[in-house]
Amino acid sequence: MHMKKQLIIMFALVGIFTTNNAMAWGGFAHSAITEIAERNLTPQAREKIHEYLNHSLPFYAIWMDQIRYTDPYRTSGRWHSNWMDENGKLDISHKYCAATHTARLWKEMKDYKRLSKEEVRLNLLYLIHLVADMHCPCHNVWPKKSHPQYRYHLTDNKGRKQSFHKYWDNTAFAYGRRRWTATHYANKMATHTPKEIKKICKGSPYKWAITSLPNAERTFELTPKGSNIQRYSKKDRLEMQRICDEQAVKAGYRLAYVMNQIFAK
Amino acid sequence: MKKIIVLSIAIIATISTANGWNTRLNEGVMILAHKHLTPQAAAVIEQHLGTSFADDMLFIAKAQKNKRSNFSQEVHFLHLDSNLAPITTSENDAYVQITKALDIIANRRNHKKAEVTMALRHLIELMCDIHNLGNVRIESYPLSQREFTMNYSNGKKGKNEVITKLGWGRLWDIYTSRHPGFSAPFWAEDLEVCWGAKKSEFMSGNLNEWVKHIGTKTANILNGVSEGMPLSVKQRNLWEDDHYEMAGRAAYRLAALLNETIK
């Protein structure tokens, strides 16, 4: 019986991973965000970026994920989330805070001509990923001691633990979008007027992270502790997706804004 | 339990996807190639394949999946001797079928429309296949004659490190999975952004020279590879550059071949 159970688990895992599921915030959403950004680059910025990066922005969408466990980039592997303090406020002094690193890199790049080509390239690669990650509704870390209500697992029909983070990274964004491409996503979602985009891009990475917090906190209401991921209502799933879309589209516009500002004439 | 997970991943890693690159990258290569066709070549393509290529991609692979092909899986491979020259003794070889397809296309007036259409489909698919570095079999490199595995580390340290067995062919096939959501037109656009400046270089030469180049590139990589060797994330990332360089070359070379053949 034990062997049979193990075999079932093994084949289930094989089945899961051989299914072509391209829809993941870690993958697909990053592609979509960078596609939106690419479309909103000024010609000047696009030309300048190409002096440092061979491919277009979406190609590098998950570069930071690919290198996070390699030297000399290991430290950057901890930068992917915003960190909160005991009072639930954004902790901009936290050494791993995504918003803080985004702000730092942006500031460094304002004087990019003084940097070496490799430094500029690296900073661009970081920014491409970090601006997206800092907008992800589940990429916020509250201290476990002071905010235990923000650290938990979800479940499924069989009572097995399911990762809250993975649910919001993958499933919430992908609901009903099995065959979507990043291009299709950008066509459908990034339809704001220049005036609206300007308003979205106001502020700083800190402000963007702070104004994203209500959506982050809403994720805990929509998917409470121990809730069954296979039993959410359609209405709730659409609301989850709305949150993801709001964050992803803002991330795309803001990434373009950062790039355009860096390489402004 | 950990053993089960590792075994599962090993099974997954060694499942060979005969398709090679995914359909969207293949189509992206065709879209880019199409952009650089002469008007005459473009007219012939439109006559046989229309303006959308999605249905024509991976034709042989689809037929094989539906058990409607007379080809074996080896048709997707480029078979080279120790001098990196094509071995042409078998019909189940990409180079052999490419040259047959080119012959039909060059003499298309003497063939039925359906034959020319099929020749174009074969050409597109197999030009992509031979540029997939996992699809090159070199006589003097025994490892290239079969699927072998390397021990791929996830890069984490200590007890969090997970080693999985990653097959040589699968390594090259799954690079596109790092870019989920890319549409075929986007692949075309990205390949051109990356390699457009080298268009003339990539389009120069002929099929035999390109085959030699592919063989040389594969041999150089295989020289540093052994069965069961540790494969780092860093190395895998480095090879990704080679992978997309070959995709770019495939697009421009396909255009050059079609322009040369359709006159």
Side-chain angles (χ1 to χ4, degrees), chain A residues 65-77:
Chain A
D65 284 336
Q66 287 164 10
I67 54 87
R68 65 190 299 169
Y69 301 118
T70 66
D71 296 313
Y73 309 108
R74 277 184 202 273
T75 313
S76 74

Side-chain angles (χ1 to χ4, degrees), chain B residues 27-224:
Chain B
E27 194 187 343
V29 164
M30 183 56 202
I31 291 170
L32 180 56
H34 186 265
K35 200 176 161 189
H36 296 280
L37 294 179
T38 58
Q40 191 172 6
V44 169
I45 293 292
E46 188 168 333
Q47 184 190 357
H48 291 274
L49 303 183
T51 50
S52 162
F53 311 115
D55 291 340
D56 297 292
M57 295 298 109
L58 301 177
F59 215 82
I60 300 174
K62 284 178 200 165
Q64 286 169 327
K65 197 176 169 185
N66 295 325
K67 297 191 188 343
R68 285 183 186 170
S69 175
N70 293 327
F71 293 121
S72 74
Q73 291 297 329
E74 288 300 307
V75 78
H76 299 285
F77 290 83
L78 184 61
H79 299 85
L80 304 176
D81 64 21
S82 48
N83 295 319
L84 304 180
I87 299 172
T88 56
T89 50
S90 169
E91 291 294 302
N92 285 303
D93 169 78
Y95 176 86
V96 167
Q97 294 304 321
I98 286 172
T99 50
K100 280 195 164 177
L102 287 171
D103 188 60
I104 291 172
I105 297 164
N107 297 296
R108 58 194 174 280
R109 292 177 182 85
N110 300 331
H111 291 274
K112 292 178 188 171
K113 187 179 177 186
E115 285 176 322
V116 179
T117 301
M118 195 58 74
L120 285 166
R121 288 175 179 149
H122 285 187
L123 179 66
I124 297 164
E125 182 173 357
L126 296 174
M127 274 298 282
C128 289
D129 278 344
I130 66 171
H131 284 84
N132 180 334
L133 295 173
N135 284 3
V136 183
R137 300 218 196 276
I138 306 173
E139 223 170 35
S140 46
Y141 287 81
L143 267 187
S144 71
Q145 303 303 317
R146 57 182 175 83
E147 180 76 341
F148 63 94
T149 58
M150 295 165 284
N151 291 325
Y152 178 59
S153 167
N154 65 350
K156 293 185 184 181
K157 292 198 166 169
K159 63 178 182 178
N160 294 320
E161 185 182 22
V162 174
I163 309 284
T164 55
K165 299 226 176 278
L166 184 56
W168 175 248
R170 184 157 174 80
L171 163 75
W172 298 100
D173 285 352
I174 62 174
Y175 272 122
T176 45
S177 66
R178 290 177 159 196
H179 308 284
F182 272 29
S183 63
F186 190 83
W187 274 121
E189 190 186 314
D190 185 71
L191 288 174
E192 181 143 66
V193 163
C194 193
W195 303 111
K198 295 202 171 186
K199 173 186 140 187
S200 300
E201 179 196 326
F202 285 5
M203 288 179 89
S204 66
N206 57 48
L207 181 61
N208 289 333
E209 286 168 347
W210 300 335
V211 163
K212 186 80 183 256
H213 167 264
I214 293 166
T216 305
K217 194 166 185 76
T218 307
N220 287 341
I221 293 175
L222 283 171
N223 280 336

